[in-house]
């Protein structure tokens, strides 16, 4: 990510897209799978590992990424536990479940403009289409 100066792990296309969005939001820190949350509930014990903990504008945001059609009852329970922990810590919490397609098409294009590219073949200096093909015009 350009905003953190580091690479960050992700496990799905949706998680990668969220990282791109966090980059453009100017997240100053992002931790992938920041901790394991063990908790008890009426049905017994469970655990959950949130996807990201991000610092955005001085505040912390705990994030889970799951497409809406893949959220099961046990996931909803885990997300509720993560929301309670986030609230107890003074963090915000969200489940990123869907987005508008046009948002991702723009974000897919823009990252290439945020990072300086290297000129490995030395083609940027004094190179035009005509001189590269050997024609004088």
């Amino acid at each position: 990510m350009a905003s953190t100066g580091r690479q960050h792990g992700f496990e799905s296309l949706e998680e990668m897209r969220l990282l791109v969005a966090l980059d453009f939001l100017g997240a100053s820190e992002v931790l992938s799978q920041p901790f394991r949350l063990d908790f008890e509930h009426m049905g017994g014990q469970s655990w959950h590992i949130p996807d990201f903990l991000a610092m955005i504008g001085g505040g912390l945001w705990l994030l889970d990424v799951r497409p809406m059609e893949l959220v099961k009852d046990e996931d909803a329970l885990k997300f509720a536990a993560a929301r309670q922990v986030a609230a107890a810590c003074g963090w915000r919490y969200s489940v990123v479940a869907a987005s508008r397609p046009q948002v991702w098409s723009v974000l897919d294009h823009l990252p290439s403009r945020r990072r300086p590219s290297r000129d490995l073949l030395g083609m940027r200096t004094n190179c035009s289409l005509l001189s590269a093909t050997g024609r004088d015009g």
Side-chain angles (χ1 to χ4, degrees), residues 74-131:
E74 65 257 20
D75 296 322
L77 177 68
K78 293 174 182 182
F79 297 158
R83 181 179 301 281
Q84 287 182 348
V85 167
C89 294
W91 304 340
R92 299 182 87 180
Y93 176 76
S94 289
V95 176
V96 179
S99 66
R100 294 183 175 104
Q102 66 270 23
V103 171
W104 295 126
S105 65
V106 170
L107 288 179
D108 283 343
H109 172 71
L110 292 176
S112 63
R113 305 287 184 217
R114 288 187 50 102
R115 290 165 186 75
S117 58
R118 300 182 333 188
D119 184 16
L120 297 176
L121 299 176
M123 296 183 69
R124 283 199 192 125
T125 55
N126 299 324
C127 181
S128 71
L129 182 57
L130 292 178
S131 64

Short mmCIF file of all heavy atoms in Angstrom, two decimals, residues 74-131:
data_model
loop_
_atom_site.label_atom_id
_atom_site.label_comp_id
_atom_site.label_asym_id
_atom_site.label_seq_id
_atom_site.Cartn_x
_atom_site.Cartn_y
_atom_site.Cartn_z
N GLU A 74 -23.48 -18.76 11.80
CA GLU A 74 -22.31 -18.76 12.69
C GLU A 74 -21.41 -17.55 12.43
O GLU A 74 -20.75 -17.04 13.32
CB GLU A 74 -21.52 -20.06 12.63
CG GLU A 74 -20.87 -20.33 11.29
CD GLU A 74 -21.58 -21.36 10.44
OE1 GLU A 74 -22.77 -21.65 10.66
OE2 GLU A 74 -20.93 -21.90 9.54
N ASP A 75 -21.37 -17.08 11.17
CA ASP A 75 -20.60 -15.87 10.86
C ASP A 75 -21.23 -14.66 11.53
O ASP A 75 -20.53 -13.81 12.08
CB ASP A 75 -20.55 -15.63 9.34
CG ASP A 75 -19.81 -16.73 8.61
OD1 ASP A 75 -18.81 -17.24 9.14
OD2 ASP A 75 -20.26 -17.09 7.51
N ALA A 76 -22.55 -14.56 11.49
CA ALA A 76 -23.24 -13.44 12.12
C ALA A 76 -22.92 -13.40 13.62
O ALA A 76 -22.73 -12.32 14.19
CB ALA A 76 -24.74 -13.55 11.88
N LEU A 77 -22.84 -14.56 14.26
CA LEU A 77 -22.48 -14.63 15.68
C LEU A 77 -21.05 -14.13 15.89
O LEU A 77 -20.78 -13.33 16.81
CB LEU A 77 -22.62 -16.07 16.18
CG LEU A 77 -22.22 -16.32 17.63
CD1 LEU A 77 -23.18 -15.62 18.58
CD2 LEU A 77 -22.20 -17.81 17.90
N LYS A 78 -20.13 -14.53 15.04
CA LYS A 78 -18.74 -14.10 15.14
C LYS A 78 -18.60 -12.61 14.90
O LYS A 78 -17.85 -11.91 15.59
CB LYS A 78 -17.87 -14.89 14.16
CG LYS A 78 -17.76 -16.35 14.51
CD LYS A 78 -17.02 -17.15 13.45
CE LYS A 78 -16.98 -18.62 13.82
NZ LYS A 78 -16.23 -19.40 12.84
N PHE A 79 -19.35 -12.10 13.94
CA PHE A 79 -19.30 -10.66 13.65
C PHE A 79 -19.87 -9.86 14.82
O PHE A 79 -19.36 -8.78 15.15
CB PHE A 79 -20.06 -10.35 12.36
CG PHE A 79 -19.48 -10.98 11.12
CD1 PHE A 79 -20.27 -11.16 10.01
CD2 PHE A 79 -18.15 -11.40 11.06
CE1 PHE A 79 -19.75 -11.74 8.84
CE2 PHE A 79 -17.62 -11.98 9.92
CZ PHE A 79 -18.43 -12.15 8.81
N ALA A 80 -20.91 -10.38 15.46
CA ALA A 80 -21.47 -9.69 16.63
C ALA A 80 -20.45 -9.64 17.77
O ALA A 80 -20.32 -8.61 18.45
CB ALA A 80 -22.75 -10.40 17.08
N ALA A 81 -19.71 -10.73 17.97
CA ALA A 81 -18.68 -10.74 19.01
C ALA A 81 -17.57 -9.75 18.68
O ALA A 81 -17.08 -9.02 19.56
CB ALA A 81 -18.12 -12.15 19.17
N ALA A 82 -17.17 -9.71 17.41
CA ALA A 82 -16.13 -8.76 17.00
C ALA A 82 -16.60 -7.32 17.18
O ALA A 82 -15.83 -6.45 17.62
CB ALA A 82 -15.74 -9.01 15.54
N ARG A 83 -17.87 -7.06 16.90
CA ARG A 83 -18.43 -5.72 17.09
C ARG A 83 -18.38 -5.31 18.56
O ARG A 83 -18.05 -4.19 18.91
CB ARG A 83 -19.86 -5.66 16.57
CG ARG A 83 -20.50 -4.27 16.71
CD ARG A 83 -21.92 -4.22 16.17
NE ARG A 83 -22.02 -4.59 14.77
CZ ARG A 83 -21.71 -3.78 13.74
NH1 ARG A 83 -21.28 -2.57 13.96
NH2 ARG A 83 -21.84 -4.21 12.50
N GLN A 84 -18.70 -6.25 19.46
CA GLN A 84 -18.67 -5.96 20.89
C GLN A 84 -17.25 -5.67 21.37
O GLN A 84 -17.03 -4.75 22.16
CB GLN A 84 -19.27 -7.10 21.69
CG GLN A 84 -20.77 -7.19 21.56
CD GLN A 84 -21.35 -8.32 22.40
OE1 GLN A 84 -20.64 -9.18 22.91
NE2 GLN A 84 -22.67 -8.31 22.55
N VAL A 85 -16.29 -6.44 20.91
CA VAL A 85 -14.89 -6.21 21.29
C VAL A 85 -14.42 -4.86 20.77
O VAL A 85 -13.78 -4.09 21.49
CB VAL A 85 -13.98 -7.35 20.77
CG1 VAL A 85 -12.52 -6.98 20.89
CG2 VAL A 85 -14.27 -8.63 21.54
N ALA A 86 -14.75 -4.55 19.52
CA ALA A 86 -14.36 -3.26 18.95
C ALA A 86 -14.95 -2.11 19.76
O ALA A 86 -14.26 -1.14 20.08
CB ALA A 86 -14.80 -3.17 17.49
N ALA A 87 -16.22 -2.22 20.11
CA ALA A 87 -16.88 -1.16 20.89
C ALA A 87 -16.21 -1.01 22.26
O ALA A 87 -15.99 0.11 22.74
CB ALA A 87 -18.36 -1.46 21.05
N ALA A 88 -15.86 -2.13 22.89
CA ALA A 88 -15.20 -2.08 24.20
C ALA A 88 -13.83 -1.42 24.12
O ALA A 88 -13.37 -0.80 25.09
CB ALA A 88 -15.08 -3.49 24.77
N CYS A 89 -13.18 -1.53 22.96
CA CYS A 89 -11.86 -0.91 22.77
C CYS A 89 -11.94 0.52 22.24
O CYS A 89 -10.91 1.17 22.07
CB CYS A 89 -11.03 -1.77 21.80
SG CYS A 89 -10.61 -3.39 22.44
N GLY A 90 -13.14 0.98 21.93
CA GLY A 90 -13.29 2.32 21.36
C GLY A 90 -13.01 2.37 19.87
O GLY A 90 -12.71 3.43 19.33
N TRP A 91 -13.10 1.22 19.20
CA TRP A 91 -12.87 1.14 17.76
C TRP A 91 -14.21 1.11 17.03
O TRP A 91 -15.24 0.81 17.60
CB TRP A 91 -12.12 -0.14 17.39
CG TRP A 91 -10.82 -0.36 18.08
CD1 TRP A 91 -10.04 0.56 18.71
CD2 TRP A 91 -10.15 -1.62 18.21
NE1 TRP A 91 -8.93 -0.04 19.22
CE2 TRP A 91 -8.96 -1.38 18.94
CE3 TRP A 91 -10.43 -2.91 17.81
CZ2 TRP A 91 -8.06 -2.39 19.25
CZ3 TRP A 91 -9.54 -3.92 18.11
CH2 TRP A 91 -8.37 -3.66 18.82
N ARG A 92 -14.15 1.37 15.75
CA ARG A 92 -15.32 1.17 14.88
C ARG A 92 -15.22 -0.23 14.29
O ARG A 92 -14.14 -0.81 14.21
CB ARG A 92 -15.32 2.22 13.78
CG ARG A 92 -15.40 3.64 14.36
CD ARG A 92 -15.46 4.66 13.30
NE ARG A 92 -16.88 4.78 12.96
CZ ARG A 92 -17.35 5.61 12.04
NH1 ARG A 92 -16.53 6.37 11.36
NH2 ARG A 92 -18.63 5.68 11.78
N TYR A 93 -16.36 -0.77 13.86
CA TYR A 93 -16.37 -2.11 13.29
C TYR A 93 -17.31 -2.14 12.09
O TYR A 93 -18.40 -1.55 12.12
CB TYR A 93 -16.85 -3.15 14.31
CG TYR A 93 -16.98 -4.53 13.73
CD1 TYR A 93 -15.85 -5.30 13.49
CD2 TYR A 93 -18.22 -5.05 13.40
CE1 TYR A 93 -15.96 -6.57 12.93
CE2 TYR A 93 -18.35 -6.32 12.85
CZ TYR A 93 -17.21 -7.07 12.62
OH TYR A 93 -17.32 -8.32 12.06
N SER A 94 -16.91 -2.84 11.04
CA SER A 94 -17.76 -3.03 9.87
C SER A 94 -17.50 -4.38 9.24
O SER A 94 -16.38 -4.89 9.26
CB SER A 94 -17.49 -1.95 8.81
OG SER A 94 -17.97 -0.71 9.22
N VAL A 95 -18.56 -4.93 8.66
CA VAL A 95 -18.44 -6.08 7.78
C VAL A 95 -18.58 -5.53 6.37
O VAL A 95 -19.60 -4.93 6.03
CB VAL A 95 -19.52 -7.14 8.06
CG1 VAL A 95 -19.42 -8.28 7.05
CG2 VAL A 95 -19.41 -7.66 9.48
N VAL A 96 -17.55 -5.71 5.56
CA VAL A 96 -17.59 -5.26 4.17
C VAL A 96 -18.19 -6.41 3.36
O VAL A 96 -17.55 -7.44 3.17
CB VAL A 96 -16.18 -4.88 3.67
CG1 VAL A 96 -16.23 -4.44 2.22
CG2 VAL A 96 -15.57 -3.81 4.57
N ALA A 97 -19.44 -6.21 2.92
CA ALA A 97 -20.18 -7.31 2.30
C ALA A 97 -20.47 -7.08 0.82
O ALA A 97 -20.68 -8.03 0.09
CB ALA A 97 -21.49 -7.54 3.05
N ALA A 98 -20.49 -5.84 0.39
CA ALA A 98 -20.82 -5.56 -1.01
C ALA A 98 -20.37 -4.15 -1.34
O ALA A 98 -20.14 -3.32 -0.47
CB ALA A 98 -22.33 -5.69 -1.24
N SER A 99 -20.25 -3.90 -2.63
CA SER A 99 -19.91 -2.55 -3.08
C SER A 99 -20.51 -2.34 -4.46
O SER A 99 -20.92 -3.29 -5.13
CB SER A 99 -18.40 -2.36 -3.14
OG SER A 99 -17.87 -3.19 -4.14
N ARG A 100 -20.52 -1.13 -4.87
CA ARG A 100 -21.02 -0.82 -6.22
C ARG A 100 -19.94 -1.16 -7.24
O ARG A 100 -18.77 -0.81 -7.06
CB ARG A 100 -21.37 0.66 -6.28
CG ARG A 100 -22.53 1.01 -5.38
CD ARG A 100 -22.89 2.48 -5.52
NE ARG A 100 -24.07 2.76 -4.74
CZ ARG A 100 -24.04 3.40 -3.57
NH1 ARG A 100 -22.90 3.83 -3.08
NH2 ARG A 100 -25.15 3.62 -2.91
N PRO A 101 -20.31 -1.82 -8.33
CA PRO A 101 -19.31 -2.23 -9.33
C PRO A 101 -18.48 -1.08 -9.88
O PRO A 101 -17.29 -1.23 -10.14
CB PRO A 101 -20.14 -2.89 -10.43
CG PRO A 101 -21.43 -3.23 -9.79
CD PRO A 101 -21.65 -2.27 -8.67
N GLN A 102 -19.09 0.10 -10.05
CA GLN A 102 -18.34 1.22 -10.62
C GLN A 102 -17.24 1.69 -9.68
O GLN A 102 -16.22 2.21 -10.13
CB GLN A 102 -19.28 2.37 -11.01
CG GLN A 102 -19.97 3.05 -9.86
CD GLN A 102 -21.31 2.43 -9.48
OE1 GLN A 102 -21.57 1.27 -9.77
NE2 GLN A 102 -22.16 3.20 -8.85
N VAL A 103 -17.41 1.49 -8.38
CA VAL A 103 -16.35 1.88 -7.43
C VAL A 103 -15.11 1.05 -7.70
O VAL A 103 -14.00 1.57 -7.79
CB VAL A 103 -16.83 1.71 -5.98
CG1 VAL A 103 -15.68 1.90 -5.00
CG2 VAL A 103 -17.97 2.67 -5.68
N TRP A 104 -15.28 -0.28 -7.85
CA TRP A 104 -14.12 -1.14 -8.07
C TRP A 104 -13.48 -0.90 -9.42
O TRP A 104 -12.26 -1.00 -9.55
CB TRP A 104 -14.50 -2.60 -7.89
CG TRP A 104 -14.91 -2.88 -6.48
CD1 TRP A 104 -16.08 -3.44 -6.07
CD2 TRP A 104 -14.19 -2.57 -5.30
NE1 TRP A 104 -16.11 -3.51 -4.71
CE2 TRP A 104 -14.96 -2.98 -4.20
CE3 TRP A 104 -12.95 -1.98 -5.04
CZ2 TRP A 104 -14.56 -2.84 -2.88
CZ3 TRP A 104 -12.54 -1.83 -3.71
CH2 TRP A 104 -13.33 -2.26 -2.66
N SER A 105 -14.25 -0.58 -10.45
CA SER A 105 -13.63 -0.33 -11.76
C SER A 105 -12.72 0.89 -11.70
O SER A 105 -11.65 0.91 -12.30
CB SER A 105 -14.69 -0.20 -12.85
OG SER A 105 -15.49 0.94 -12.64
N VAL A 106 -13.12 1.90 -10.95
CA VAL A 106 -12.27 3.09 -10.78
C VAL A 106 -11.05 2.75 -9.94
O VAL A 106 -9.92 3.09 -10.28
CB VAL A 106 -13.07 4.25 -10.16
CG1 VAL A 106 -12.15 5.39 -9.77
CG2 VAL A 106 -14.14 4.74 -11.12
N LEU A 107 -11.27 2.05 -8.81
CA LEU A 107 -10.14 1.71 -7.93
C LEU A 107 -9.16 0.76 -8.60
O LEU A 107 -7.97 0.80 -8.31
CB LEU A 107 -10.65 1.10 -6.62
CG LEU A 107 -11.33 2.08 -5.67
CD1 LEU A 107 -11.82 1.34 -4.43
CD2 LEU A 107 -10.42 3.23 -5.29
N ASP A 108 -9.64 -0.09 -9.49
CA ASP A 108 -8.72 -0.98 -10.22
C ASP A 108 -7.79 -0.19 -11.13
O ASP A 108 -6.65 -0.58 -11.36
CB ASP A 108 -9.50 -2.00 -11.06
CG ASP A 108 -10.06 -3.13 -10.23
OD1 ASP A 108 -9.61 -3.31 -9.09
OD2 ASP A 108 -10.96 -3.83 -10.72
N HIS A 109 -8.27 0.91 -11.67
CA HIS A 109 -7.47 1.72 -12.59
C HIS A 109 -6.49 2.64 -11.85
O HIS A 109 -5.34 2.80 -12.28
CB HIS A 109 -8.38 2.55 -13.48
CG HIS A 109 -7.64 3.54 -14.32
ND1 HIS A 109 -6.86 3.16 -15.37
CD2 HIS A 109 -7.52 4.89 -14.23
CE1 HIS A 109 -6.29 4.24 -15.91
NE2 HIS A 109 -6.69 5.30 -15.23
N LEU A 110 -6.91 3.22 -10.77
CA LEU A 110 -6.13 4.26 -10.11
C LEU A 110 -4.84 3.81 -9.42
O LEU A 110 -3.89 4.58 -9.36
CB LEU A 110 -7.00 5.02 -9.11
CG LEU A 110 -8.10 5.86 -9.74
CD1 LEU A 110 -8.95 6.49 -8.65
CD2 LEU A 110 -7.54 6.92 -10.65
N PRO A 111 -4.72 2.59 -8.87
CA PRO A 111 -3.48 2.25 -8.17
C PRO A 111 -2.23 2.40 -9.02
O PRO A 111 -1.16 2.72 -8.50
CB PRO A 111 -3.68 0.79 -7.76
CG PRO A 111 -5.13 0.62 -7.67
CD PRO A 111 -5.71 1.53 -8.74
N SER A 112 -2.32 2.19 -10.30
CA SER A 112 -1.13 2.32 -11.15
C SER A 112 -0.60 3.75 -11.16
O SER A 112 0.57 3.97 -11.43
CB SER A 112 -1.46 1.88 -12.58
OG SER A 112 -2.44 2.74 -13.14
N ARG A 113 -1.43 4.71 -10.85
CA ARG A 113 -1.02 6.11 -10.84
C ARG A 113 -0.41 6.53 -9.50
O ARG A 113 0.18 7.58 -9.40
CB ARG A 113 -2.22 7.02 -11.13
CG ARG A 113 -2.94 6.68 -12.40
CD ARG A 113 -2.14 7.09 -13.60
NE ARG A 113 -2.91 6.83 -14.81
CZ ARG A 113 -2.35 6.41 -15.91
NH1 ARG A 113 -1.07 6.20 -15.98
NH2 ARG A 113 -3.10 6.18 -16.97
N ARG A 114 -0.56 5.70 -8.46
CA ARG A 114 -0.10 6.08 -7.13
C ARG A 114 1.35 5.68 -6.85
O ARG A 114 1.94 6.15 -5.91
CB ARG A 114 -0.99 5.45 -6.06
CG ARG A 114 -2.33 6.12 -6.01
CD ARG A 114 -3.16 5.63 -4.86
NE ARG A 114 -2.57 5.63 -3.58
CZ ARG A 114 -2.78 6.54 -2.63
NH1 ARG A 114 -3.54 7.56 -2.87
NH2 ARG A 114 -2.22 6.41 -1.46
N ARG A 115 1.88 4.77 -7.61
CA ARG A 115 3.23 4.27 -7.35
C ARG A 115 4.16 4.64 -8.49
O ARG A 115 3.81 4.49 -9.65
CB ARG A 115 3.18 2.76 -7.18
CG ARG A 115 2.49 2.36 -5.92
CD ARG A 115 2.13 0.89 -5.95
NE ARG A 115 1.35 0.50 -4.81
CZ ARG A 115 0.08 0.78 -4.63
NH1 ARG A 115 -0.58 1.48 -5.51
NH2 ARG A 115 -0.57 0.38 -3.56
N PRO A 116 5.35 5.08 -8.15
CA PRO A 116 6.29 5.37 -9.23
C PRO A 116 6.70 4.07 -9.92
O PRO A 116 6.96 3.08 -9.27
CB PRO A 116 7.48 6.00 -8.50
CG PRO A 116 7.35 5.56 -7.08
CD PRO A 116 5.89 5.33 -6.84
N SER A 117 6.71 4.09 -11.23
CA SER A 117 7.12 2.90 -11.96
C SER A 117 8.59 3.05 -12.36
O SER A 117 9.09 4.14 -12.58
CB SER A 117 6.24 2.68 -13.19
OG SER A 117 6.30 3.81 -14.03
N ARG A 118 9.26 1.91 -12.45
CA ARG A 118 10.68 1.92 -12.81
C ARG A 118 10.83 1.77 -14.31
O ARG A 118 10.05 1.09 -14.96
CB ARG A 118 11.40 0.79 -12.08
CG ARG A 118 11.28 0.94 -10.59
CD ARG A 118 12.00 -0.11 -9.81
NE ARG A 118 12.16 -1.37 -10.50
CZ ARG A 118 12.61 -2.46 -9.94
NH1 ARG A 118 12.97 -2.46 -8.69
NH2 ARG A 118 12.74 -3.58 -10.63
N ASP A 119 11.86 2.39 -14.85
CA ASP A 119 12.14 2.32 -16.28
C ASP A 119 13.26 1.30 -16.49
O ASP A 119 14.41 1.65 -16.74
CB ASP A 119 12.54 3.71 -16.78
CG ASP A 119 12.76 3.76 -18.27
OD1 ASP A 119 12.32 2.82 -18.96
OD2 ASP A 119 13.37 4.73 -18.74
N LEU A 120 12.93 0.02 -16.38
CA LEU A 120 13.94 -1.04 -16.44
C LEU A 120 14.63 -1.14 -17.79
O LEU A 120 15.78 -1.56 -17.87
CB LEU A 120 13.30 -2.39 -16.08
CG LEU A 120 12.74 -2.48 -14.65
CD1 LEU A 120 12.04 -3.82 -14.46
CD2 LEU A 120 13.85 -2.31 -13.63
N LEU A 121 13.94 -0.78 -18.86
CA LEU A 121 14.53 -0.88 -20.20
C LEU A 121 15.13 0.43 -20.69
O LEU A 121 15.63 0.50 -21.81
CB LEU A 121 13.48 -1.38 -21.19
CG LEU A 121 12.90 -2.76 -20.90
CD1 LEU A 121 11.79 -3.10 -21.89
CD2 LEU A 121 13.99 -3.82 -20.92
N GLY A 122 15.07 1.47 -19.88
CA GLY A 122 15.63 2.76 -20.27
C GLY A 122 14.91 3.39 -21.44
O GLY A 122 15.55 4.02 -22.30
N MET A 123 13.62 3.27 -21.52
CA MET A 123 12.88 3.74 -22.69
C MET A 123 12.24 5.11 -22.50
O MET A 123 11.66 5.65 -23.43
CB MET A 123 11.80 2.72 -23.06
CG MET A 123 12.41 1.39 -23.48
SD MET A 123 11.21 0.19 -24.00
CE MET A 123 10.66 0.91 -25.53
N ARG A 124 12.33 5.68 -21.31
CA ARG A 124 11.68 6.97 -21.09
C ARG A 124 12.48 8.14 -21.62
O ARG A 124 11.92 9.15 -22.01
CB ARG A 124 11.44 7.18 -19.60
CG ARG A 124 10.29 6.39 -19.10
CD ARG A 124 9.79 6.93 -17.80
NE ARG A 124 8.87 5.97 -17.23
CZ ARG A 124 8.97 5.45 -16.04
NH1 ARG A 124 9.93 5.83 -15.24
NH2 ARG A 124 8.09 4.58 -15.63
N THR A 125 13.77 8.05 -21.62
CA THR A 125 14.60 9.18 -22.04
C THR A 125 14.79 9.15 -23.55
O THR A 125 15.21 8.15 -24.12
CB THR A 125 15.97 9.16 -21.34
OG1 THR A 125 16.58 7.90 -21.59
CG2 THR A 125 15.81 9.36 -19.85
N ASN A 126 14.44 10.25 -24.19
CA ASN A 126 14.63 10.43 -25.63
C ASN A 126 14.04 9.29 -26.46
O ASN A 126 14.67 8.80 -27.39
CB ASN A 126 16.12 10.59 -25.96
CG ASN A 126 16.72 11.78 -25.28
OD1 ASN A 126 16.06 12.81 -25.12
ND2 ASN A 126 17.94 11.65 -24.83
N CYS A 127 12.89 8.87 -26.11
CA CYS A 127 12.27 7.78 -26.86
C CYS A 127 10.91 8.22 -27.36
O CYS A 127 10.07 8.68 -26.62
CB CYS A 127 12.11 6.55 -25.96
SG CYS A 127 11.39 5.15 -26.81
N SER A 128 10.72 8.09 -28.63
CA SER A 128 9.40 8.33 -29.18
C SER A 128 9.04 7.12 -30.04
O SER A 128 9.88 6.28 -30.32
CB SER A 128 9.39 9.60 -30.04
OG SER A 128 10.13 9.36 -31.23
N LEU A 129 7.83 7.05 -30.44
CA LEU A 129 7.38 5.92 -31.25
C LEU A 129 8.17 5.84 -32.55
O LEU A 129 8.60 4.78 -32.98
CB LEU A 129 5.89 6.04 -31.55
CG LEU A 129 5.26 4.91 -32.35
CD1 LEU A 129 5.48 3.58 -31.64
CD2 LEU A 129 3.80 5.16 -32.58
N LEU A 130 8.47 7.00 -33.18
CA LEU A 130 9.22 6.98 -34.44
C LEU A 130 10.65 6.54 -34.26
O LEU A 130 11.18 5.75 -35.03
CB LEU A 130 9.15 8.36 -35.09
CG LEU A 130 7.78 8.80 -35.60
CD1 LEU A 130 7.84 10.19 -36.16
CD2 LEU A 130 7.28 7.82 -36.66
N SER A 131 11.31 7.07 -33.21
CA SER A 131 12.72 6.68 -33.04
C SER A 131 12.83 5.24 -32.58
O SER A 131 13.81 4.56 -32.86
CB SER A 131 13.42 7.62 -32.05
OG SER A 131 12.83 7.50 -30.77
#
